[in-house]
Amino acid sequence: MGDFTRIEREGRVAIVHFDRGDSLNALSAAAMRELTAVARGFEDDLETTAIVLTGTKRCFSAGADLTDPETASRKEKGLLARRHAMKIGPDMCDAWERLEQVTIVAVEGFCIGGGAALAAACDIRVAAKSAYFRLPEIPLGMNMSWHSNPRLVNLMGPARTKLFTILGEKLHAPQALEWGLVEEVAEDGAALEAALALARKFAGLPPVAVRMSKQSIDMAAKALNAAVTYMDRDQFALTATSKDQQEALSAFLEKRKPNFTGE
């Protein structure tokens, strides 16, 4: 039990509830550290075969918390400190990806930005029928980081990943299922129960075989992921200094169309 997370157990299944107590369930720095700690807490857990990660009944997450004072204070720090602070998001996603247990995400409502990055780092995604996913980073003048690009390519292929990542448009659950971002669509309000049904299937199998199979499949699909994302934190730091990024944020706040110049 943490400030933002609660863990339930049902035999060899664990359910992690992430809830910041508001309508956005955004990922503040403190929330990301807690979610990282939760994942790392399962590393030595030999009693759990499957883990379900879920948000609230309203949403999974709106992504990085842009109102977080800790995040805002990065701009006042030197390059080394800013670069180190940017590890929080990718470290969280990496911690969930590294788990030997099968990880299943249950999504109601919206799953945006860093929330979608976290979902992509897990093994299986179950979304409610009216849920949607969106990556707003590039339209806001930033690149997509948190080691997400190869994970999305693994799931959807390069062309659909470009459509999803670069355009920043909503990807509704039925189309996300067709594209490969989610593995199952449930009725609204039933994503968690559908995810639990899958988790119980995994939990009923020999745990050693499940873990070894997951690892071998991941190695086959993701062997080059680290090699192609080692610079995405630095790319994010670079795009955050551009005039286009400032223009994107200004246009968003002023509710107007941005004028990008490549500067």
Side-chain angles (χ1 to χ4, degrees), residues 24-44:
L24 297 177
N25 227 27
L27 293 164
S28 64
M32 287 189 281
R33 279 193 290 265
E34 186 170 314
L35 282 164
T36 303
V38 167
R40 290 173 178 166
F42 285 109
E43 288 179 353
D44 296 322

Side-chain angles (χ1 to χ4, degrees), residues 32-174:
M32 287 189 281
R33 279 193 290 265
E34 186 170 314
L35 282 164
T36 303
V38 167
R40 290 173 178 166
F42 285 109
E43 288 179 353
D44 296 322
D45 181 350
L46 304 183
E47 304 303 317
T48 301
T49 300
I51 303 166
V52 176
L53 173 62
T54 187
T56 68
K57 293 180 180 179
R58 176 181 170 83
C59 69
F60 183 72
S61 175
D65 186 353
L66 301 180
T67 67
D68 182 14
E70 183 175 341
T71 302
S73 68
R74 289 179 189 169
K75 297 179 181 179
E76 303 170 5
K77 299 177 181 177
L79 178 59
L80 179 61
R82 292 201 309 272
R83 188 175 186 272
H84 180 73
M86 289 177 184
K87 287 175 80 273
I88 297 176
D91 282 355
M92 173 188 66
C93 294
D94 291 352
W96 280 89
E97 184 178 53
R98 280 195 302 267
L99 286 172
E100 292 191 353
Q101 296 92 340
V102 175
T103 52
I104 305 170
V105 176
V107 177
E108 297 279 353
F110 49 84
C111 183
I112 299 173
L118 175 56
C122 295
D123 296 313
I124 296 168
R125 287 142 295 279
V126 177
K129 186 188 299 182
S130 65
Y132 68 86
F133 299 78
R134 186 167 72 89
L135 297 177
E137 281 77 3
I138 289 176
L140 289 176
M142 300 171 281
N143 72 305
M144 189 60 205
S145 57
W146 291 16
H147 303 167
S148 300
N149 285 332
R151 291 172 181 144
L152 293 170
V153 171
N154 293 152
L155 295 170
M156 298 191 291
R160 284 172 170 169
T161 297
K162 290 170 187 173
L163 290 170
F164 178 51
T165 302
I166 297 175
L167 296 181
E169 297 174 347
K170 291 180 181 180
L171 185 61
H172 293 276

